[in-house]
Amino acid sequence: MLHMKVNIKRVDKTLPLPKYETAGSVGFDLLCRETAEVAPRRIVLIPANVIVETPPGYMLMVCLRSSTPRKHGLLIPQGLGVVDNDYCGEDDELQIQVYNFTDKPVTVERGSRIAQAVFVRVGKAEWNEVEQMSAPSRGGFGSTDA
C-alpha cells in the first residue's frame, strides 16, 4: 500500500484526526463535527471537521460507511462525493452530504463516523476528437445480459 504525507487541518481540535480503523482499511473515517438533525426526505450537509490538502494527481472520494444506510437511514444523494485537490483553503472543510430516505427524522451525533474518504489516483484527458470511433458498438444498459 502506498503511503503519502498529506497536510490536514482540524476545525475543532477536541475531535481526533481521522484514522484508518484496520491495517487493511483503504478509507479513513470522517467524524461529524456537529450534531445534525436530518428531516425525512431531506438533504443536509454535515461538517466533517477537516480540511485536506489532497496531493496532485489524486482526488478524495467521500462515501458512506457500509453501516450508515442500515443504522441511520442515510444515503449520499449522488452516490459519492468527489473532492478536487484544489479544495483545500482555510474555509474548505469537508462536508458529508446526506439524504434521509426514512419517514422519521434522523439525528447524527457529534463525533459519529458515518462516512469515509479514499484517495484515488486520477488522470486528465487531452481530447482527440475523431469522426468515427474505432471499436464496434456493443450496446449498453444490460446488453450483455441478453
Side-chain angles (χ1 to χ4, degrees):
M1 190 176 294
L2 175 68
H3 289 271
M4 304 178 285
K5 286 277 190 194
V6 176
N7 291 337
I8 190 169
K9 178 181 177 180
R10 286 181 286 169
V11 176
D12 178 347
K13 293 191 184 215
T14 65
L15 289 169
L17 282 169
K19 67 178 184 173
Y20 295 90
E21 290 296 324
T22 69
S25 295
V26 297
F28 56 89
D29 289 339
L30 297 170
L31 302 175
C32 299
R33 182 168 56 82
E34 303 171 344
T35 296
E37 177 95 4
V38 187
R41 314 274 187 244
R42 294 287 183 226
I43 296 173
V44 169
L45 291 173
I46 302 174
N49 196 46
V50 289
I51 300 165
V52 178
E53 194 174 288
T54 302
Y58 288 84
M59 68 165 209
L60 190 60
M61 182 174 62
V62 176
C63 35
L64 292 181
R65 296 181 72 224
S66 60
S67 60
T68 299
R70 183 175 33 82
K71 285 183 177 177
H72 298 281
L74 300 173
L75 292 172
I76 291 182
Q78 73 280 21
L80 58 88
V82 173
V83 182
D84 297 317
N85 66 7
D86 58 356
Y87 183 77
C88 57
E90 280 299 307
D91 296 322
D92 293 339
E93 178 179 5
L94 295 181
Q95 304 281 324
I96 305 163
Q97 184 172 225
V98 293
Y99 171 71
N100 177 356
F101 63 83
T102 73
D103 294 325
K104 296 181 179 172
V106 172
T107 300
V108 178
E109 298 294 337
R110 170 184 153 82
S112 294
R113 297 177 304 139
I114 62 166
Q116 60 185 323
V118 178
F119 290 104
V120 179
R121 190 130 176 82
V122 294
K124 280 199 173 179
E126 182 179 312
W127 302 119
N128 180 38
E129 188 173 18
V130 297
E131 295 300 318
Q132 184 173 344
M133 300 307 287
S134 58
S137 295
R138 67 169 198 86
F141 298 98
S143 64
T144 60
D145 295 337

